[in-house]
Amino acid sequence: MSDEFLYLETIGRTTGLPREIEIWFVAHEGRHFLVSEHREKSAWVRNIAANPAVHFSVGSGEARESRLARTPATARALDPAIDAELVATISTLMDAKYKWSNGLVVELTPAPHSP
């Protein structure tokens, strides 16, 4: 199992304050993917539904200074009916990395770089 985590910062849907979680992830085709065990009931998923603008970084929880720079991104929950092939791919990648993939898949698409 990897010792790297993704640190996701959302904006609280009721407070408007930044909220950060540490979560397992996989990277695929320039995007990062997370799985919410509690699906739409997770606070971070509800925050994304209210405001899909997020920031994330990747690194070790034990060494904050080793994290990559915060990246602005747009988050969206994948719809298993519409995104079935992508959900299957991400589930396979999560199973290979963590031996777990049961939940709602969320995609983080980094914002385009500014010139």
Side-chain angles (χ1 to χ4, degrees), residues 6-14 17 19-21 23 32-36 39-56 73-78 104-109:
L6 186 138
Y7 296 87
L8 175 67
E9 182 182 286
T10 62
I11 299 300
R13 67 197 171 283
T14 57
L17 298 173
R19 302 290 183 213
E20 184 180 84
I21 63 164
I23 192 165
H32 288 72
F33 295 87
L34 322 171
V35 176
S36 170
R39 308 190 63 80
E40 293 86 354
K41 293 179 183 177
S42 294
W44 63 272
V45 173
R46 290 185 292 170
N47 289 346
I48 287 168
N51 181 356
V54 300
H55 286 87
F56 72 92
T74 301
R76 75 175 182 108
L78 298 184
L104 176 69
V105 177
V106 175
E107 173 187 68
L108 305 180
T109 302

Side-chain angles (χ1 to χ4, degrees), residues 54-104:
V54 300
H55 286 87
F56 72 92
S57 61
V58 173
S60 167
E62 296 166 2
R64 276 186 161 305
E65 66 280 355
S66 72
R67 289 189 197 172
L68 297 176
R70 280 179 10 128
T71 301
T74 301
R76 75 175 182 108
L78 298 184
D79 182 328
I82 296 170
D83 304 301
E85 188 175 325
L86 183 55
V87 168
T89 297
I90 299 310
S91 293
T92 298
L93 292 171
M94 289 291 287
D95 283 336
K97 188 173 182 182
Y98 301 109
K99 311 267 186 275
W100 179 84
S101 66
N102 188 19
L104 176 69

